[in-house]
Amino acid sequence: MLQKNKKHMLCSYWISREGTSPPPGAIFSAHPFPVTGKGAPEPWTNRIEQAKQAIREGRLSKVVLAHMTSRPAPDITTLLQKLKARRLNATVFWFQENGADWLGATPERLFYRRKRRITTEAVAGTRPRGVTAAEDERLAEALLASNKDKSEFDIVVQFIHERLTPLSVQIDVPERPVIRKTHNVQHLTKTMEATLREDVTDAMVIAALHPTPAIAGAPQGDALAWISAYESFTRDYYCGVLGW
């Protein structure tokens, strides 16, 4: 997505910044998920049990698994129209590279920047949307009250705070999360703001934040090593950051 005087990166995360233009001759820059899957193909449930065992043994605090399926290619135009119709609090994207189409709808923005002021979001913890307004509210209250989801969410908040601290002169973190609702799910969310040092570039912020525990896990290095060892495919731009 391209808008005048703004930069955007889209996929699992997207970025926007006021007062700048895309690099000359480029309409987007891509930062894929930074590991290559080397594991053997095996049942999805096996990987879930292996991840749970790693957490029980204390080797990981959190790991975010991905699952790949194959099916006949859909009509892109029809699929995009469906995504746009369901894009509540989400950004729809589509791009082509090496004969492949990448498209989706993401509720997560990696950061928004205006001069030295940056806004980023911690998003984690999930419940479905309710069929009725009353059920929807009950599910949201259960999410806010869940110690398990709060623990996972706090890992993301702490990671972002720690990674921004060396780049910033001030960081503001809300005391409590709020609920963000998309078409079919709702998440715990905190909008965090920081004032960056004068020498900090966009590339430095991307390198510090990507990938967050919301798409990889924690500790980051151990989670990435686990994903590389156990997943049999490469995520590439799925869980990546892309689009100017």
Side-chain angles (χ1 to χ4, degrees):
M1 183 171 64
L2 184 65
Q3 293 182 359
K4 185 178 180 181
N5 294 329
K6 290 188 179 181
K7 291 194 294 190
H8 297 264
M9 285 188 165
L10 311 174
C11 197
S12 279
Y13 288 100
W14 64 286
I15 293 172
S16 61
R17 177 176 177 177
E18 287 191 356
T20 60
S21 301
I27 60 170
F28 71 88
S29 175
H31 300 263
F33 193 73
V35 297
T36 299
K38 302 180 179 68
E42 59 180 313
W44 168 240
T45 52
N46 286 5
R47 284 207 302 276
I48 294 174
E49 290 304 317
Q50 291 160 348
K52 289 166 63 177
Q53 183 62 28
I55 293 172
R56 284 193 293 265
E57 293 174 356
R59 291 183 283 131
L60 297 172
S61 298
K62 176 180 180 178
V63 64
V64 181
L65 310 184
H67 182 44
M68 183 174 67
T69 61
S70 299
R71 62 186 65 186
D75 176 73
I76 297 298
T77 301
T78 301
L79 189 52
L80 278 171
Q81 289 174 344
K82 290 182 178 180
L83 287 173
K84 289 179 179 179
R86 301 173 54 180
R87 63 177 179 180
L88 176 65
N89 289 327
T91 298
V92 175
F93 65 90
W94 171 42
F95 76 100
Q96 296 174 310
E97 183 174 277
N98 298 327
D101 292 272
W102 294 84
L103 69 161
T106 172
E108 299 180 67
R109 177 171 62 183
L110 188 60
F111 68 83
Y112 167 85
R113 180 173 181 176
R114 181 170 185 175
K115 298 182 179 179
R116 291 172 55 198
R117 194 66 177 170
I118 188 174
T119 302
T120 186
E121 299 161 324
V123 181
T126 308
R127 288 291 187 281
R129 296 295 306 273
V131 176
T132 65
E135 182 186 21
D136 201 53
E137 184 62 24
R138 284 196 300 271
L139 289 166
E141 290 175 354
L143 179 56
L144 287 168
S146 168
N147 289 330
K148 178 262 188 188
D149 288 283
K150 183 179 183 297
S151 176
E152 291 186 11
F153 179 73
D154 287 345
I155 289 173
V156 181
V157 175
Q158 181 179 1
F159 172 89
I160 293 174
H161 188 274
E162 290 178 352
R163 290 303 182 94
L164 285 181
T165 295
L167 307 180
S168 308
V169 297
Q170 178 185 349
I171 303 176
D172 301 317
V173 182
E175 182 178 351
R176 295 182 178 85
V178 296
I179 296 294
R180 171 174 295 178
K181 299 177 185 291
T182 68
H183 174 80
N184 59 338
V185 295
Q186 41 194 329
H187 302 289
L188 293 173
T189 304
K190 275 188 181 181
T191 299
M192 306 164 64
E193 296 186 345
T195 301
L196 300 173
R197 299 194 325 255
E198 291 185 2
D199 62 324
V200 173
T201 65
D202 290 354
M204 293 168 66
V205 179
I206 296 170
L209 296 181
H210 177 61
T212 76
I215 59 173
Q220 186 195 64
D222 294 334
L224 291 175
W226 194 96
I227 290 169
S228 178
Y230 285 91
E231 289 187 354
S232 60
F233 57 93
T234 299
R235 298 189 189 185
D236 205 359
Y237 296 128
Y238 171 69
C239 287
V241 184
L242 48 109
W244 286 106

